[in-house]
Every structure is written in structure tokens, then in C-alpha cells.
Amino acid sequence: MKIKANKVISTKKHRKMKKIALIIAAITLTLGSSAQIENLYSKDSTVCLNGVYAGALNLVNFDLDTLKASTFTDFRVGAKGTWSATSWLRMSAFTVYARSNEGDAFMNMVSLNLHTRNEVFNLEVGKIPTSATEIRPIPLSSDGQFETWVQALIPGITPGAKVSYAFNPKNKKDKLVFGVFSRDNQIEYSGRIVMGKMNLFTNYSVSDKKTTSGISYNHKRFYALALYQGSDTINGDKVAAVFTNFKVLPRQKIDVFLNGGYSLKNKDIPHLEIGMVKNFEMPYLKGVIGIIYDHHLKAIKSCLMVGLGPK
């Protein structure tokens, strides 16, 4: 009787996963056939659909010790929109639904942005990215779905408020950002300075006395993110981490990357990946295919990710 019950449960789970996969596939095909949905405006031009994203990620791990294989699959769909209510008030929101081997996940953001007409000064409130979180790729993108371990060390979206000031009205990318947030019913402080292609950031969480500070640099052929994360609690760890991506063959869109960290407390390597990936694009779709060596798992990974929407 137990065997039959397990078969019934397994069959139900299989059917449920199959239905979800078919729904996501239908959404992807529908959006793809109608054109890439990105930066579409309402008739009065006050509402912009910034993007619709649908993606699938599959990782197969080949254990070098046991020669066994395991898989990780992640399906993700979502959308982002912006309402420019006035010349000084803007509302933005996105929602993402993800289903993987680890279960369901929901990610969302909503913000109100008060700004001067030239947007030199901005005040943003809501459930928003902290000043440091802006270093991470948005979850509603292929980069967000393929986010690295090092990027994920930076704290994510949480309720709060932040202000930003652009040093040059003609170049609003160079700016100073500072915010105060709430996480786990405790205050969190976050700051960032943007100077050209370089970002300096820091984030301090009162709840676990954790500091996350680092620097990122984005060149045409090279991207690097280096950070330190440490906690002052008794059981807290201290980690130095680096993520680098180098476009070795730009025309062929082939990259090599290193993604890992070193525990200063435990004197070990909690995570280390070295990989080579091929980025590809086709009508309405873009993706990544490649091979990765995971030092911590002692495994070779094959990866394939295909997405519709923002990179």
C-alpha cells in the first residue's frame, strides 16, 4: 500500500511540474511570436512596460568521485512596469515567480521615486534594492537568473529609503547613494559611490552585525567584483570573495570566469567555480551554454539557460 501511495504522489508531482513547464513554454512562445516585449508605452505615455521575462536554467552536475549526475532546474517568469505620474514622481514595480527543484519562490519590488526635474537628486522609498544591492543583476533578467555565488552574497531587496545625488547633471551615472533599511526588524545601512565604470559600496546589517563592502569595475571586455563580508558575532564568518568575467573571444561571445571566496575564519574555500560559457542570441531569445568546474563539489557542471527579455 505504501508503494502505491508513493507512486500516486510521485505521479501528481510529475503532472504538476509538467503543467508548469507547459505554461512557461506557452508564455515564452506567445511572447516570442509577438515580438520582444520591452519598453512599451501606454497611449498617454505615462506607463511603461519595461520588460517581460521568461527563462529556463538547467545545470547538470557530474560528481568526479562517484561519477553520479544530479540536476538543478529553474523556471522563471515576471514583468516590470513604471508609471511616471508627474515630472517629479515615478512609481516602479516588478514581480517574479520562480520554480525549481528547491520549491517555489516569489520576488517583488515596489518603489516611489521623488526627484528633481533633471533627476540630479532622487528620494526612493518602498520595498527596494539597497544601495549595495544595485550591484547585483535584477532578478527579472537572464543575468539575474544566472547570478553568481559572489553576487548573491550582497544583501537583497528589503523595505527602506535611499537618496542619491548625481555629481554632474549631464552625466547622472556618477553619483552618491545612501539608504536606511529594515531587515529582520533591524536597521540596515547601505552606501555606494559610482565613478565612471567603478562602484564602491558598503552595507551594514545591525541584526547580525554583518558588513559587506567591496568594489566592482565594468570594462568593455572585463568585469570584476571583489568584496569582503564579515560578521562580529561569535559564530560569524569572514569571507573574501571575487567574481571576474573576461571576454576572451568577443566576436564569438565566449567568456571565461572565476567565481569564488576564501573563509578567513575557517581557513578554507567555501566556494570556487571556474568556467567557460558561450553567449548566444536569436530572434526573441538569448542564452548561455557552457561548462564549469566546481572545486567545492568536486564536480563538472554543464549549464544551459535560455531566456526571453532583458539581459
Side-chain angles (χ1 to χ4, degrees):
M1 293 296 291
K2 289 184 179 179
I3 295 176
K4 291 182 179 180
N6 288 338
K7 285 185 178 180
V8 172
I9 293 171
S10 178
T11 301
K12 287 182 177 179
K13 287 184 177 179
H14 178 74
R15 288 176 179 173
K16 186 176 181 180
M17 286 295 293
K18 189 175 180 180
K19 287 181 180 178
I20 292 172
L22 288 173
I23 291 171
I24 293 174
I27 292 173
T28 303
L29 290 173
T30 301
L31 295 176
S33 62
S34 62
Q36 183 167 331
I37 298 181
E38 192 171 358
N39 294 329
L40 298 181
Y41 287 86
S42 60
K43 290 184 178 180
D44 60 3
S45 298
T46 61
V47 177
C48 175
L49 183 61
N50 304 106
V52 173
Y53 179 77
L57 169 65
N58 183 64
L59 293 170
V60 180
N61 302 332
F62 297 94
D63 192 301
L64 297 179
D65 292 330
T66 64
L67 299 180
K68 292 182 178 180
S70 60
T71 61
F72 173 80
T73 303
D74 177 73
F75 295 104
R76 185 173 296 194
V77 292
K80 180 183 178 182
T82 300
W83 173 35
S84 300
T86 68
S87 60
W88 50 269
L89 176 63
R90 180 171 61 243
M91 177 182 176
S92 298
F94 75 68
T95 183
V96 179
Y97 167 71
R99 183 174 182 83
S100 70
N101 305 43
E102 300 173 353
D104 297 338
F106 297 90
M107 294 162 275
N108 53 74
M109 181 276 292
V110 60
S111 76
L112 286 176
N113 185 299
L114 299 167
H115 52 270
T116 55
R117 288 178 181 268
N118 58 5
E119 298 199 35
V120 169
F121 177 81
N122 286 264
L123 169 64
E124 188 175 1
V125 297
K127 185 181 179 184
I128 57 177
T130 71
S131 310
T133 307
E134 294 176 351
I135 300 294
R136 296 174 61 173
I138 182 173
L140 190 70
S141 67
S142 56
D143 285 346
Q145 190 169 9
F146 201 59
E147 185 176 53
T148 67
W149 176 82
V150 176
Q151 291 171 318
L153 288 176
I154 302 172
I157 292 172
T158 193
K162 62 185 176 185
V163 294
S164 67
Y165 175 76
F167 301 125
N168 186 344
K170 296 181 179 180
N171 179 18
K172 302 180 182 65
K173 292 182 179 180
D174 294 344
K175 58 186 176 180
L176 172 66
V177 188
F178 177 78
V180 180
F181 304 86
S182 173
R183 194 185 303 273
D184 300 326
N185 297 320
Q186 296 290 330
I187 294 177
E188 186 170 297
Y189 304 99
S190 185
R192 183 166 66 102
I193 299 176
V194 184
M195 297 179 293
K197 298 175 181 179
M198 183 169 59
N199 279 266
L200 299 170
F201 63 92
T202 187
N203 202 91
Y204 178 74
S205 175
V206 175
S207 60
D208 51 9
K209 298 181 180 180
K210 181 182 290 183
T211 300
T212 305
S213 300
I215 182 173
S216 72
Y217 184 79
N218 192 6
H219 188 264
K220 185 177 181 181
R221 293 189 58 178
F222 178 79
Y223 176 80
L225 168 63
L227 63 82
Y228 165 82
Q229 186 175 81
S231 176
D232 294 333
T233 59
I234 296 176
N235 298 321
D237 197 1
K238 292 177 173 61
V239 176
V242 174
F243 166 60
T244 61
N245 187 84
F246 184 65
K247 299 178 180 179
V248 289
L249 296 172
R251 292 183 179 180
Q252 291 78 17
K253 297 184 178 180
I254 296 176
D255 301 353
V256 295
F257 71 87
L258 182 146
N259 169 45
Y262 179 76
S263 172
L264 302 175
K265 178 182 178 181
N266 300 323
K267 308 298 182 183
D268 64 1
I269 300 174
H271 192 93
L272 177 61
E273 290 179 331
I274 301 173
M276 180 172 67
V277 296
K278 160 74 173 179
N279 300 279
F280 61 87
E281 293 185 17
M282 54 190 65
Y284 317 121
L285 297 173
K286 59 190 70 175
V288 174
I289 185 169
I291 188 167
I292 304 166
Y293 171 70
D294 191 315
H295 175 75
H296 183 69
L297 297 177
K298 297 295 188 294
I300 298 292
K301 297 180 179 179
S302 67
C303 69
L304 173 64
M305 193 198 67
V306 179
L308 164 75
K311 177 173 172 53

